Amino acid sequence: MAVKKFMYVNRKAPYGTVYALESLEVVLIGAAFDQDVSLAFIGDGVYELTKGQNTDGIGQKNFSPTYAALGDYDVNKIYVEKESLEERGLTLDDLQHLVWEDEDEDWAEKDSIRLVSRAELADVMAEQEILLSF
Amino acid sequence: MGLLHTVNKSPFESNTFDICLDYAKDGSTVLLIEDGVYAATTGTSAADKIKDASGVSFAVLGPDLQARGLEGKLADGIKVVDYEGFVNLVAEHDSVQSWL
């Protein structure tokens, strides 16, 4: 099967709408097909990755721990847009620390999140073959 | 005791929060719920607007803030309420305007 470059573009905050959860479900399904997968978090999408989410009080499933499992599915190119974080008063420290283990380097643990500018992300987006928008 | 306004949209995704502020008169309360809670977090332009709206009271629904991992980011001058507090706010005000 030919490998294609897939990017999932996440622009919605979690819980208020179902987009964030649906995106995560599709990413996990897609991960089974050994494609070249990237995730982009822009706009309110950066809120999906905040650490310390606790949904006990709202009666919805807390799906945020699933992002930490993406590395195990070889989903390890997670682009977070710098300008979107700044507009929201957030820094990388407010987000989960997502890692993956590099098989080619004796399973060395590496960061999955790549902090990029809007212009840089536009370049990465332009290189993709398939874009899925949430 | 004036109106209770509720806002359930992110201030970055729609102009609902801004429109609400245009309509919120002195003595009214704005309660931020669901994705509206993002307006209550520090370092955002929405939090600056809350600071400037001195005659209006602001509250945020705690469970929605906690769900989003933003309890530690709450801006000054905003009261945190639970669901019971939400009901009390409804009872205390003359009427409720839900900005959807």
Side-chain angles (χ1 to χ4, degrees), chain A residues 21-81:
Chain A
L21 173 58
E22 292 289 331
S23 173
L24 194 52
E25 302 262 7
V26 177
V27 169
L28 289 171
I29 294 166
F33 292 92
D34 292 329
Q35 298 295 304
D36 180 352
V37 174
S38 300
L39 270 57
F41 291 89
I42 64 181
D44 276 359
V46 301
Y47 284 133
E48 296 180 31
L49 300 176
T50 57
K51 59 186 175 192
Q53 295 179 24
N54 178 350
T55 59
D56 290 350
I58 63 166
Q60 289 190 52
K61 182 185 172 184
N62 178 2
F63 54 86
S64 67
T66 310
Y67 294 105
L70 290 174
D72 297 335
Y73 294 90
D74 292 328
V75 176
N76 50 37
K77 292 192 287 272
I78 299 181
Y79 296 92
V80 174
E81 195 204 82

Side-chain angles (χ1 to χ4, degrees), chain A residues 44 47 50 53-54 57 94, chain B residues 10 13 38 66-68 73 83:
Chain A
D44 276 359
Y47 284 133
T50 57
Q53 295 179 24
N54 178 350
D94 297 309
Chain B
S10 162
E13 287 286 306
Y38 293 117
Q66 288 148 17
R68 291 160 180 78
K73 291 264 161 192
Y83 291 107

Side-chain angles (χ1 to χ4, degrees), chain B residues 2 19 24 30 42 48 58 70 95:
Chain B
I19 301 288
V30 174
T42 54
D48 292 338
F58 288 87
L70 294 170
S95 192

